[in-house]
Amino acid sequence: MTLPLRWKVTFGALLAVACSLAIAGIVTVRSLERQHLVQLSDNLGATAKLAEYSLHPLFLSSDQLPSASQLQPMVRDIGTRASARITVVAADGTVLADSAILDEDLPGIENHRTRPEIRQALSTGHGRDIRTSQTTGERTMYRALVMTRSEQTPPVIIRVGFPMSLLERDIEQLTHNILIALGIAFLTALSLTIWLARSVTQPLSDITQAAQRLASGTQTLPIKTSAQDEVGLLAATLNQLADQLHAKIGELSEDRAQLLAVLTSMVEGVMVLDRRGYILQINPALERIFGISRAEARGRPFAELFRHRQLNELVEAILRSRKNQEVEIVLPLTNRCLHIDASVAGGERDNEACIVLVCHDMTELRHLETIRKDFVANVSHELRTPLTSIKGYVEALLDGAMDNPDMTAHFLNIILKQSDRLNLIIEDLLELSRIESGRISFRSDPIDIHAVIDRALSTIKPLAEKKGHRLIASINTRLPAAEGDEDRLVQVLTNLLDNAVKYTPAGGTITVGAGEAPIPRTAEPTGGALELTVSDTGIGIPEADRPRVFERFYRVDKARSRELGGTGLGLAIVKHIVEGHGGQVWVEAHEPKGSRFVVRLPISNGPQLPA
Ligand code: ADP
C-alpha cells in the first residue's frame, strides 16, 4: 500500500525543513568559525604590535641584542597580560625569549628560522600560521611581525601565539547552542507540519472516502467540510455532482422500470438487435412464443438462435437496407402464425438498438378466420341444399306437375319437409348464436338429475320406440350435488339421446348414466365432478373424428346425417352449454361397439342428494 497523503506531506515538509536547518546550521557554524579566526588573528596582530611597542625601547638602547634575563621577565609579563604566548626571535632564527618557556630551557630551544610565520615575516614584514606547536604540543595560531632597529643591526621578530583549543572550545560551545536552537526549530516545524498536513489532508481524505462511497453506490450523505478554499470548492462540486448523479440515476431507473413494465406486460413479442444482428433484449412474450429464455438469447447472433429461413432473410434484409419491413411466418414445430414488424431503431454501433422486431401472434386470429370462413361456407351450403330442393319441386309444380293431384301432394310434402329442415337449421343457428354471444345466461340452481334424465328420456322415448331401441337409465344411488340450468341440461341430454337414436341401427340399446366422476379427466375441475353419460350400440365414431364432432356442421358422414334429419349443430350446442356450466364433454368408444358421450359437471359443495 502506498503512503497516505498526510504522511507524504508531513515527511516531505519535514525533509525540506531538516535539510534547510542542516544547511543553515552548517553555514552558520562555518561563518562563525571563520569570523572567530579572523577576529583572533586580528587580536593577535594587535597584541604583536603592542608587544613590539613595549619591547622596542630595550632594543634601541644598544646595538647589542638584550640578554635573555632582560627579555624573559618582560615577555612573560606581556604574555600574561595579553593571555598569549610571546616569542622574540633573532633574524638568524635564535629564540631570544619566550613567555611559555622557562628561563633555563631557553638555550635548548630549536632554531625558529624555518617556521612558516617567521619566514613570511622576514620576507614581507608580517607572517601567520596555524599548526601544532613543537614546543607546547598544542594547535596554535601564530602572528609574527618584524621589529626594525637600525640599518646596521639585523631586525628582530616578535611572534604572538594563541592556542586554538580555546577558540575550538568556543566554537564547540557555539555549535552546541546552534544545534539546540535547530533542534527546537525542528521540533516546532515538526508539530506545525503535522498540524498543517492534517488540516490540509483531512478534508481531502474525507472527500476521497465520499468519492469511494459514491463510486460504490452507497453515498447518501453530502460531504461535510468547513474548508473555504479549493478543498471546500472541490467538496461542494462533488456534492453537486453526487446530487446530479443521484437524480440522473433515479430518472434512468424510473425510465427503465417503466420500459420493462411495458415490455413485460406486452402481449406482442419484442426483440431488439444491434447492427451486427446480435440479440440485445427480448421480452417475456417473445420467450413464450419461441420457447427460449432471455438468458440464453441475450448477446447471441440472431441467425445462430433462430434457424428460420424467412426470419433470417428478414433480419438480413433490414440490416442491409435499413428500411422497415414486415412478414408473416409459420413456426414449424408449434404451427404458430406470426406477423412480424421489423423497424429500424437507428443504433449504428455494436450493442446499440438497431432493429426492433415486434411479433404479433396471429394463430388464434387466423384460426378464428378459418372457422368463420368455414362457417359461412357451411351455412350457405346447409341452407342451399333444402332451398335448391324446394325451388326444384316448386318449379316442377309450376311446370305442370300441379295437374297431377298425387304428384302435387307428394311434392308439397317434400317441400314441407325441406322447409322444416331449413327452419330447424335456422333455429339451431340462432340458438348457437344466442349461447355464443352470451345473451343466454345459465341459471345456477341446484339440479335434480333424476328430473333432468326423466325429462330428456320422455322426449326421446317415442323416437326410440319407433326404432325399437331399448332405453336404460343407470343412476347411482348417491349423486353429488350440482348446480346449473336444468332446462339447458335437459337440452344437452336430449341432443345426445337424439343422436344415439339416430346413429344406432334399429333394435339397439341406449343407456343414460349418472354418477360421481371416478377420477378427474384433467387437472380441472379439481373439486370432484358429476358425470352424465349417454352410450349406444350404434355405428360409433372413428377415433380421428371424435375431437371434431363438436365443431359446427362437422359430420362423420354428411349424407347419412342429412338423411337422418341432422343439422350438424346439435353437438356444438351441447359443447357450449356444458362449457357454460364450467364442465367438459367428450366422446369415447363404447365397447364392443357404439359411442359413449361423457358430460362432466363441477359439483357444488352442498349436501349430496339422496337417490
Ligand atoms: P347432426 O345433426 O348431424 O347429428 P351433431 O352435431 O349432433 O349433428 O353431430 C355431429 C356428427 O357427429 C354427426 O353428424 C355424426 O356423424 C356424429 N355423431 C353424433 N352422435 C353420434 C352417435 N351417437 N353415434 C355416431 N355418430 C354420432
Side-chain angles (χ1 to χ4, degrees):
M1 208 185 112
T2 52
L3 212 58
L5 180 65
R6 182 173 159 188
W7 294 114
K8 274 188 194 159
V9 171
T10 308
F11 290 143
L14 283 180
L15 193 68
V17 167
C19 287
S20 311
L21 289 177
I23 290 167
I26 291 167
V27 169
T28 309
V29 170
R30 286 273 172 273
S31 60
L32 282 174
E33 207 174 37
R34 211 172 300 120
Q35 202 182 330
H36 267 73
L37 278 174
V38 169
Q39 208 176 338
L40 182 65
S41 175
D42 289 350
N43 286 345
L44 286 184
T47 308
K49 277 186 186 142
L50 274 173
E52 185 215 357
Y53 178 77
S54 306
L55 292 173
H56 199 242
L58 204 62
F59 283 89
L60 284 183
S61 57
S62 85
D63 287 347
Q64 295 294 311
L65 290 167
S67 66
S69 55
Q70 282 176 298
L71 279 172
Q72 268 300 96
M74 275 188 79
V75 166
R76 201 171 290 127
D77 187 35
I78 296 166
T80 309
R81 285 171 195 274
S83 304
R85 178 185 165 197
I86 311 289
T87 311
V88 181
V89 183
D92 60 355
T94 312
V95 176
L96 300 174
D98 193 321
S99 63
I101 304 292
L102 295 173
D103 295 353
E104 55 269 26
D105 292 339
L106 203 60
I109 286 207
E110 197 188 338
N111 187 293
H112 276 37
R113 192 178 168 79
T114 54
R115 301 286 196 272
E117 70 279 4
I118 303 292
R119 269 195 285 125
Q120 273 178 38
L122 283 174
S123 56
T124 64
H126 292 280
R128 62 180 74 192
D129 192 25
I130 296 173
R131 65 166 189 283
T132 304
S133 163
Q134 287 177 8
T135 314
T136 60
E138 278 187 303
R139 239 176 95 73
T140 309
M141 178 187 267
Y142 295 105
R143 285 286 307 251
L145 60 82
V146 172
M147 182 205 288
T148 45
R149 293 159 66 201
S150 64
E151 283 188 8
Q152 294 80 27
T153 51
V156 175
I157 295 112
I158 307 295
R159 190 185 78 167
V160 182
F162 191 82
M164 289 293 284
S165 57
L166 288 174
L167 180 80
E168 278 163 0
R169 209 169 38 246
D170 278 359
I171 288 172
E172 213 172 88
Q173 182 65 39
L174 202 72
T175 308
H176 182 251
N177 290 345
I178 286 174
L179 275 179
I180 288 174
L182 288 180
I184 292 168
F186 183 77
L187 286 178
T188 313
L190 177 74
S191 41
L192 266 174
T193 307
I194 290 174
W195 176 79
L196 248 172
R198 195 185 137 74
S199 60
V200 169
T201 57
Q202 187 59 45
L204 278 177
S205 75
D206 286 351
I207 290 171
T208 310
Q209 282 173 9
Q212 279 170 346
R213 284 201 301 276
L214 192 71
S216 65
T218 53
Q219 173 73 5
T220 47
L221 294 171
I223 307 161
K224 283 188 191 130
T225 173
S226 53
Q228 299 290 320
D229 49 13
E230 289 87 342
V231 176
L233 192 67
L234 178 64
T237 313
L238 264 179
N239 281 337
Q240 210 177 334
L241 193 75
D243 286 348
Q244 283 174 2
L245 209 66
H246 200 67
K248 214 61 205 161
I249 288 172
E251 224 172 88
L252 285 176
S253 316
E254 227 168 81
D255 283 356
R256 193 169 180 274
Q258 283 170 9
L259 204 69
L260 267 179
V262 170
L263 269 182
T264 309
S265 58
M266 270 176 82
V267 182
E268 289 84 9
V270 178
M271 183 185 306
V272 184
L273 305 176
D274 71 359
R275 61 166 189 160
R276 303 165 297 173
Y278 278 51
I279 299 165
L280 300 182
Q281 187 68 267
I282 64 171
N283 73 340
L286 197 118
E287 285 180 308
R288 279 195 301 276
I289 293 172
F290 288 96
I292 51 168
S293 79
R294 203 162 144 230
E296 69 171 306
R298 280 177 74 172
R300 285 179 67 186
F302 179 87
E304 187 185 298
L305 201 63
F306 296 92
R307 302 200 180 274
H308 194 285
R309 189 182 51 79
Q310 247 180 309
L311 262 179
N312 288 333
E313 280 173 5
L314 170 79
V315 170
E316 271 170 31
I318 193 168
L319 279 175
R320 225 183 7 254
S321 67
R322 294 286 200 275
K323 280 193 184 127
N324 296 354
Q325 297 196 23
E326 54 188 275
V327 74
E328 195 153 321
I329 62 161
V330 176
L331 295 182
L333 288 177
T334 54
N335 266 341
R336 275 175 179 274
C337 177
L338 301 178
H339 180 94
I340 299 179
D341 273 312
S343 42
V344 180
E348 286 303 333
R349 278 190 301 223
D350 292 357
N351 296 320
E352 225 177 62
C354 178
I355 306 176
V356 178
L357 300 180
V358 180
C359 307
H360 308 263
D361 192 345
M362 309 294 281
T363 318
E364 198 58 31
L365 198 71
R366 294 284 176 264
H367 179 62
L368 289 175
E369 263 175 25
T370 315
I371 289 177
R372 188 187 55 78
K373 279 185 199 153
D374 288 355
F375 179 69
V376 172
N378 282 333
V379 169
S380 322
H381 181 73
E382 291 301 324
L383 294 177
R384 204 182 306 126
T385 315
L387 266 177
T388 315
S389 171
I390 291 168
K391 192 171 174 256
Y393 284 106
V394 171
E395 279 171 359
L397 284 172
L398 289 175
D399 282 350
M402 259 194 314
D403 299 338
N404 182 337
D406 287 347
M407 208 179 271
T408 305
H410 177 62
F411 282 8
L412 284 175
N413 258 330
I414 293 174
I415 289 170
L416 181 67
K417 217 171 142 194
Q418 292 301 335
S419 314
D420 285 345
R421 186 171 159 67
L422 256 183
N423 196 32
L424 208 65
I425 292 174
I426 289 167
E427 265 178 21
D428 275 359
L429 272 175
L430 286 174
E431 177 77 355
L432 202 59
S433 137
R434 273 198 296 272
I435 297 172
E436 276 186 351
S437 65
R439 265 182 288 144
I440 292 183
S441 53
F442 301 119
R443 294 214 308 274
S444 184
D445 302 328
I447 308 166
D448 181 355
I449 294 299
H450 293 92
V452 171
I453 293 172
D454 285 349
R455 279 172 64 189
L457 283 176
S458 62
T459 312
I460 288 303
K461 210 169 176 185
L463 291 172
E465 277 172 357
K466 217 168 158 184
K467 283 188 82 175
H469 291 322
R470 213 153 54 98
L471 277 178
I472 302 172
S474 161
I475 305 171
N476 273 7
T477 44
R478 286 188 70 78
L479 288 173
E483 284 178 351
D485 192 324
E486 215 169 276
D487 292 342
R488 293 289 160 194
L489 291 178
V490 171
Q491 190 181 353
V492 166
L493 271 189
T494 312
N495 281 8
L496 294 177
L497 285 167
D498 184 48
N499 280 349
V501 171
K502 274 195 295 187
Y503 299 108
T504 304
T509 305
I510 296 165
T511 315
V512 183
E516 191 168 359
I519 31 161
R521 184 173 152 82
T522 60
E524 290 175 43
T526 49
L530 168 71
E531 199 168 86
L532 300 175
T533 54
V534 175
S535 320
D536 60 50
T537 52
I539 58 170
I541 302 171
E543 200 174 343
D545 294 302
R546 281 180 209 152
R548 301 203 60 192
V549 290
F550 296 95
E551 290 174 17
R552 286 171 292 194
F553 297 117
Y554 188 84
R555 287 132 159 171
V556 178
D557 183 341
K558 278 191 174 40
R560 188 198 285 253
S561 163
R562 261 189 225 114
E563 188 190 306
L564 294 168
T567 60
L569 295 168
L571 288 181
I573 294 172
V574 165
K575 186 171 187 251
H576 273 91
I577 296 175
V578 173
E579 285 181 352
H581 279 78
Q584 293 167 293
V585 59
W586 68 93
V587 62
E588 49 197 36
H590 180 235
E591 298 304 331
K593 62 173 192 156
S595 312
R596 183 171 183 263
F597 283 84
V598 185
V599 173
R600 197 167 272 185
L601 298 169
I603 56 169
S604 57
N605 292 327
Q608 293 204 328
L609 292 176

